[in-house]
Amino acid sequence: QVQLVESGGGLVQPGGSLRLSCAGSGSIFSVAAADWYRQAPEKQRAFVAHITSTGSTNYADSVKGRFTVSRNNAKNTVYLQMSSLKPEDTAVYYCNAAGKWPWGTAFDYWGQGTQVTVSS
């Protein structure tokens, strides 16, 4: 059973930084693209950032220039570095891994989420 475990969330003041990690079991990130999503209270889950298996990235407009997604395939971990945080960044952040195993079976896994709260 593949698992994704997010960590690194917490309470931070506006303008501060946090780095989220998403650790995958097995070698999932050697074959998967990864996404970060977030869900604020009473709002739908929204896309934040994407990174392909080869490291290409794209971001939601709301986080461009402030957030950076990266990956370390050797550690089977994807990161989301968040800077210049704003109160509107407050949400539960989720990691997603999607792709195909070498034998062709598609997969799509989610982590349990980590809370980020930006408040003074």
Side-chain angles (χ1 to χ4, degrees), residues 13-118:
Q13 292 187 342
S17 298
L18 280 176
R19 188 178 81 156
L20 306 183
S21 299
C22 175
S25 60
S27 59
I28 187 170
F29 284 128
S30 65
V31 295
D35 293 281
W36 287 95
Y37 283 77
R38 65 187 181 185
Q39 187 166 16
E42 300 181 358
K43 292 190 176 181
Q44 291 190 331
R45 193 171 295 189
F47 168 76
V48 175
H50 172 80
I51 185 166
T52 68
S53 59
T54 55
S56 297
T57 59
N58 65 282
Y59 300 90
D61 287 344
S62 59
V63 307
K64 278 181 184 176
R66 301 189 298 121
F67 290 11
T68 302
V69 60
S70 62
R71 63 193 298 153
N72 184 326
N73 288 347
K75 293 186 176 181
N76 218 30
T77 302
V78 173
Y79 305 96
L80 184 68
Q81 177 67 48
M82 306 185 295
S83 302
S84 302
L85 283 161
K86 305 174 182 179
E88 51 263 42
D89 294 317
T90 295
V92 177
Y93 283 71
Y94 296 91
C95 174
N96 172 265
K100 284 188 178 181
W101 297 113
W103 52 90
T105 304
F107 60 83
D108 186 350
Y109 297 108
W110 290 88
Q112 83 289 349
T114 186
Q115 176 71 46
V116 171
T117 302
V118 185

